[in-house]
């Protein structure tokens, strides 16, 4: 299924009863809606929610903005080291506008937001931009983007900037698997046969490295997000792994510290992925958070003066 917003096609999938409260899941850099663990999606659906997943712009089956050109990542990094602003074809605020447009197109006045990595950053932007539309926020393995926070481990940075050996799905999948081996959760076992099958299926579904580069610049250029986190008023849960080599633990801690009343949960031995054990722990944190926020919103509605 898809909607059109500001001339962009946004591909989405919906699980659960359309009359149930909506939970919008926003994925991270270069990742498609198919990357969400089915066990996590089903846990949220079974708790009584409608789950909506979507492909961010420039990835998956959503619009690919090739007319914006191929970013020169190396030159933009040089600009950053020289203290100059990074130039990005679009911003994370633009990507947040896509998510808000999805809410509008689906007729959702309010929704719960769950975002991982870049998706957490986009969800933060949505919650700060239209607080009246957001029932709760869950930011997973993400960051406030504040100056001075630690960055990725050096080998992870090098791997992030590499491209697959060819555009063949098998090479694209192999490249992605090598990246996940670097950033994976050391304390949790991955179901490798199922994981490899899903990664290959994703490579067949879509592959747009130029789009990933444009998304990367949108993240790198979003240097002021930490200043707007104070505008988030919804119940907020921040979850982060203690062994994350891509977005270090301090990034999640800083996010929680900047959002009033946010609750922080660290998962020992979790990296920057979601093998079955991590997915189960995420569900155990996210579902009660959704339920508490939904109850609070319902009580506020029933007690509001008429």
């Amino acid at each position: 299924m898809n909607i059109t917003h500001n001339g962009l096609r946004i591909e989405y999938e919906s699980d659960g009863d359309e009359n149930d409260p909506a939970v919008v899941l926003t994925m991270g850099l270069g990742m498609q809606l198919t990357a969400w663990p089915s066990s996590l999606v089903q846990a949220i659906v079974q708790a009584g929610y409608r789950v909506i997943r979507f492909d961010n712009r420039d990835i998956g089956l959503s619009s690919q903005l090739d007319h914006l050109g191929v970013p020169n990542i190396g030159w933009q990094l040089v600009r950053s080291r020289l203290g100059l602003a990074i130039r990005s074809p679009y911003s994370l605020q633009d990507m947040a506008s896509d998510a808000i447009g999805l809410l509008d197109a689906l007729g959702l006045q309010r929704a719960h937001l769950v975002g991982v990595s870049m998706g957490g950053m986009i969800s933060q932007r949505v919650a700060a931009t239209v607080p009246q539309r957001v029932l709760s926020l869950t930011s997973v393995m993400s960051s406030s983007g504040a100056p001075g926070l630690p960055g990725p481990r050096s080998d992870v940075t090098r791997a992030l900037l590499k491209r697959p050996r060819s555009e063949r799905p098998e090479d694209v999948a192999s490249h992605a698997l090598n990246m996940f081996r670097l950033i994976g959760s050391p304390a949790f076992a991955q179901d490798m046969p199922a994981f490899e099958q899903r990664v290959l299926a994703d490579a067949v579904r879509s592959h747009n490295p130029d789009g990933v580069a444009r998304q990367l610049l949108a993240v790198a250029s979003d240097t002021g997000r930490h200043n707007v986190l104070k505008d988030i008023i919804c119940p907020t849960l921040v979850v982060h792994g203690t062994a994350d080599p891509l977005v270090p633990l301090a990034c999640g801690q800083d996010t929680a510290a900047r959002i009033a009343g946010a609750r922080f949960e660290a998962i020992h031995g979790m990296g920057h992925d979601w093998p079955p054990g991590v997915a189960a722990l995420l569900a155990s944190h996210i579902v009660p958070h959704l339920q508490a926020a939904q109850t609070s919103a319902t009580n506020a509605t029933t007690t509001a003066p008429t």
Side-chain angles (χ1 to χ4, degrees):
M1 296 181 286
N2 62 83
I3 60 101
T4 300
H5 169 70
N6 284 345
L8 298 182
R9 168 195 170 109
I10 303 296
E11 183 78 10
Y12 76 95
E13 290 188 7
S14 178
D15 294 274
D17 193 318
E18 291 187 1
N19 295 315
D20 287 338
V23 181
V24 176
L25 307 184
T26 306
M27 189 39 77
L29 176 70
M31 302 300 292
Q32 304 178 54
L33 64 83
T34 48
W36 286 100
S38 58
S39 60
L40 176 59
V41 172
Q42 288 308 307
I44 298 173
V45 169
Q46 290 168 8
Y49 296 89
R50 176 189 182 187
V51 174
I52 298 163
R53 298 169 287 161
F54 69 102
D55 287 330
N56 286 303
R57 60 168 67 192
D58 250 342
I59 204 71
L61 303 183
S62 289
S63 289
Q64 299 187 359
L65 308 182
D66 294 334
H67 64 281
L68 296 177
V70 181
N72 187 330
I73 298 293
W75 171 238
Q76 294 301 326
L77 291 177
V78 170
R79 287 180 57 87
S80 178
R81 292 192 185 101
L82 294 174
L84 302 174
I86 290 177
R87 294 174 179 169
S88 175
Y90 50 78
S91 68
L92 281 190
Q93 188 64 50
D94 293 328
M95 300 182 78
S97 176
D98 296 343
I100 296 169
L102 179 61
L103 294 180
D104 292 341
L106 297 180
L108 299 173
Q109 293 303 310
R110 305 181 76 188
H112 300 273
L113 305 181
V114 179
V116 299
S117 199
M118 181 188 72
M121 303 170 195
I122 294 169
S123 299
Q124 293 165 23
R125 281 280 179 187
V126 174
T129 302
V130 288
Q132 72 279 8
R133 306 285 299 273
V134 180
L135 289 165
S136 75
L137 168 66
T138 303
S139 181
V140 183
M141 59 180 84
S142 192
S143 177
S144 67
L149 288 173
R153 206 171 60 204
S154 59
D155 59 332
V156 172
T157 298
R158 290 192 297 272
L160 189 64
L161 297 176
K162 290 181 179 179
R163 290 201 175 190
R165 182 169 52 186
S166 79
E167 299 300 299
R168 295 174 61 247
E170 293 80 6
D171 287 336
V172 172
S174 177
H175 175 75
L177 289 169
N178 287 336
M179 185 68 188
F180 275 111
R181 290 187 185 98
L182 284 178
I183 65 176
S185 301
F188 295 86
Q190 180 62 270
D191 181 354
M192 289 308 299
F195 186 61
E196 290 172 355
Q197 184 178 25
R198 199 221 78 206
V199 170
L200 179 59
D202 284 352
V204 171
R205 182 176 185 261
S206 177
H207 174 58
N208 183 23
D210 293 341
V212 177
R214 289 187 286 269
Q215 288 186 350
L216 180 59
L217 284 185
V219 172
S221 65
D222 195 42
T223 57
R225 190 176 63 260
H226 62 289
N227 292 320
V228 304
L229 296 188
K230 65 182 185 303
D231 299 328
I232 296 176
I233 59 175
C234 64
T236 299
L237 170 66
V238 178
V239 184
H240 216 100
T242 62
D244 193 328
L246 180 60
V247 184
L249 178 65
C251 298
Q253 293 171 324
D254 189 75
T255 301
R258 292 176 183 273
I259 301 174
R263 180 165 62 90
F264 180 77
E265 295 287 348
I267 297 181
H268 182 74
M270 169 184 160
H272 204 82
D273 68 341
W274 39 90
V278 168
L281 284 175
L282 288 176
S284 73
H285 290 304
I286 292 172
V287 169
H289 175 64
L290 297 174
Q291 292 170 330
Q294 189 67 45
T295 298
S296 178
T298 301
N299 290 342
T301 300
T302 57
T303 58
T306 57

